[in-house]
Amino acid sequence: MYTLPELPYAYDALEPFIDARTMEFHHKNHHQIYIDKLNSVLTNTPDLASQSIDTLLVQVKTLPENIRSGVRNFGGGHANHTMFWSVMQQGGGGEPEGTLAAALTSAFGSVQKFRDEFSKAATTQFGSGWAWLVRKSDGVLAVMQTANQDTPLSDGVTPLLCLDVWEHAYYLKYQYKRADYIAAWWNIVNWSEVERRLKA
Ligand code: MN
């Protein structure tokens, strides 16, 4: 059975960029519901439920048909939110350094060009979904979008940074102004976690 991971910080830690009320609903309710539904989908396949959610999502296209969309949607929701909490921190933001800064500059021309491309992906993702920085199998970094709770793991690439652009992630504070949420979010990015994932 999958369980809700504790947030690595308090609900109000990301104020004023993400408000405490949004964080609490998002973690305690939205994330928990994905987990409950995922557990329900896997009730009769305990061998699958005992694996890490990332492992299931990497092979989601070959899972039995009766559980495939459930794992894709609810398992994706669990994995994506677990990662999302980890790539933010109180007092985050600033500039990426070292290996990560060099990799971003190499791939995008500059860190600023990476930020612009990532923000554009987050802004233009139509409807619900996510923006991602990923490392492809050849080691090259790229920005991508996914719809709903789809994860780049299912495309054989490694996610390094993600941003939730579902309305539930920002509507209480930002309403229809998704671009304002995205601009504010850069102030809480946990770059050391992104670099850890890059080196993993
Ligand atoms: Mn969400």
Side-chain angles (χ1 to χ4, degrees), residues 26 30-31 34 77 81 84-85 130 149 164-166 168-169:
H26 202 172
H30 288 283
H31 191 170
Y34 288 119
H81 287 91
F84 186 47
W85 312 137
W130 295 75
Q149 294 297 351
D164 189 344
V165 294
W166 284 59
H168 69 226

Side-chain angles (χ1 to χ4, degrees), residues 4-5 36 42 72 74 158 172 174 177:
L4 183 67
D36 293 345
L42 296 176
R72 178 178 172 184
F74 308 132
T158 304
L172 290 178
Y174 296 95
K177 293 170 280 191

Side-chain angles (χ1 to χ4, degrees), residues 32-108:
Q32 181 69 59
I33 289 166
Y34 288 119
I35 291 167
D36 293 345
K37 289 183 174 175
L38 174 65
N39 286 330
S40 174
V41 164
L42 296 176
T43 301
N44 297 315
T45 51
D47 53 319
L48 294 177
S50 65
Q51 301 193 40
S52 83
I53 189 56
D54 285 8
T55 299
L56 293 190
L57 290 164
V58 166
Q59 52 175 309
V60 70
K61 288 165 185 156
T62 61
L63 290 177
E65 200 168 341
N66 62 320
I67 62 165
R68 194 182 304 156
S69 69
V71 170
R72 178 178 172 184
N73 292 328
F74 308 132
H78 175 31
N80 293 346
H81 287 91
T82 300
M83 177 173 170
F84 186 47
W85 312 137
S86 79
V87 297
M88 301 186 288
Q89 68 175 160
Q90 186 171 30
E95 290 295 320
E97 296 172 354
T99 308
L100 176 59
L104 290 170
T105 301
S106 169
F108 299 97

